[in-house]
Amino acid sequence: YYQNQVYAVDVNAKFGYLEAAMEAFATIGAVAAYKSAKFVSMFTGGVIAVGAGATGVCYLLSTLVGGDIVSVSALNVIPMGIFGYMITLASATIATDAITPRYAISFTLNTFVSLGIATIIQQIASSQQLPTNGYYLISAVASFSVAVYGMISGGYLFIFGGGGGGG
């Protein structure tokens, strides 16, 4: 939906540059996850909360900045960096902690369930005939919900499980 949002601000926007920036940020996020994996694995719930919360903030702000193409673009690029970080960290955690070498099934199932949830959310939004920013607001709420889950699971495990993990 970023293309619709950007197009609403500037019909002559250079989508190739924006998409390249998104991929670059996703790569930077993946490298950051690789470099920080040992440290943050102790705080999975907190990492989920911060990453999802920051993504939600970006989505929410992108609906409020109006006609500023730089801000709208940045608020769509930053979540890609967060996504790159989170998916790489999650994949590494699954691969490290899996009790079976068949963790590829977990990756596939995770993606399948995520896409299923996204499809349901899009269908609900579509049935309500929401504008593009409506989708962003729904995504922000979903991100904030995941952030709350991260805080609860991380806090629970910190208090009762002897560590700061979660997820």
Side-chain angles (χ1 to χ4, degrees):
Y1 291 95
Y2 73 90
Q3 293 167 330
N4 291 339
Q5 191 180 46
V6 170
Y7 186 81
V9 175
D10 182 0
V11 297
N12 296 315
K14 306 293 185 204
F15 288 105
Y17 294 126
L18 180 57
E19 290 167 358
M22 288 177 155
E23 292 302 323
F25 268 67
T27 302
I28 291 168
V31 171
Y34 171 75
K35 294 292 186 180
S36 66
K38 288 183 182 177
F39 171 72
V40 299
S41 65
M42 300 179 296
F43 306 102
T44 307
V47 171
I48 291 169
V50 171
T55 298
V57 168
C58 286
Y59 289 155
L60 180 61
L61 289 177
S62 74
T63 67
L64 302 174
V65 294
D68 182 10
I69 190 67
V70 173
S71 296
V72 167
S73 296
L75 292 167
N76 278 281
V77 168
I78 291 169
M80 285 301 294
I82 296 169
F83 173 78
Y85 183 85
M86 302 282 280
I87 194 73
T88 302
L89 195 61
S91 297
T93 301
I94 290 169
T96 301
D97 295 343
I99 56 175
T100 177
R102 296 184 182 103
Y103 49 81
I105 294 170
S106 296
F107 299 143
T108 305
L109 184 61
N110 181 45
T111 302
F112 179 74
V113 170
S114 298
L115 290 173
I117 291 169
T119 300
I120 291 167
I121 291 170
Q122 290 172 352
Q123 290 301 311
I124 291 169
S126 178
S127 72
Q128 300 301 311
Q129 299 179 345
L130 293 177
T132 300
N133 281 347
Y135 287 93
Y136 275 84
L137 293 175
I138 290 171
S139 295
V141 169
S143 295
F144 291 139
S145 298
V146 171
V148 169
Y149 163 77
M151 287 187 289
I152 292 170
S153 68
Y156 178 84
L157 287 175
F158 184 78
I159 293 168
F160 299 107

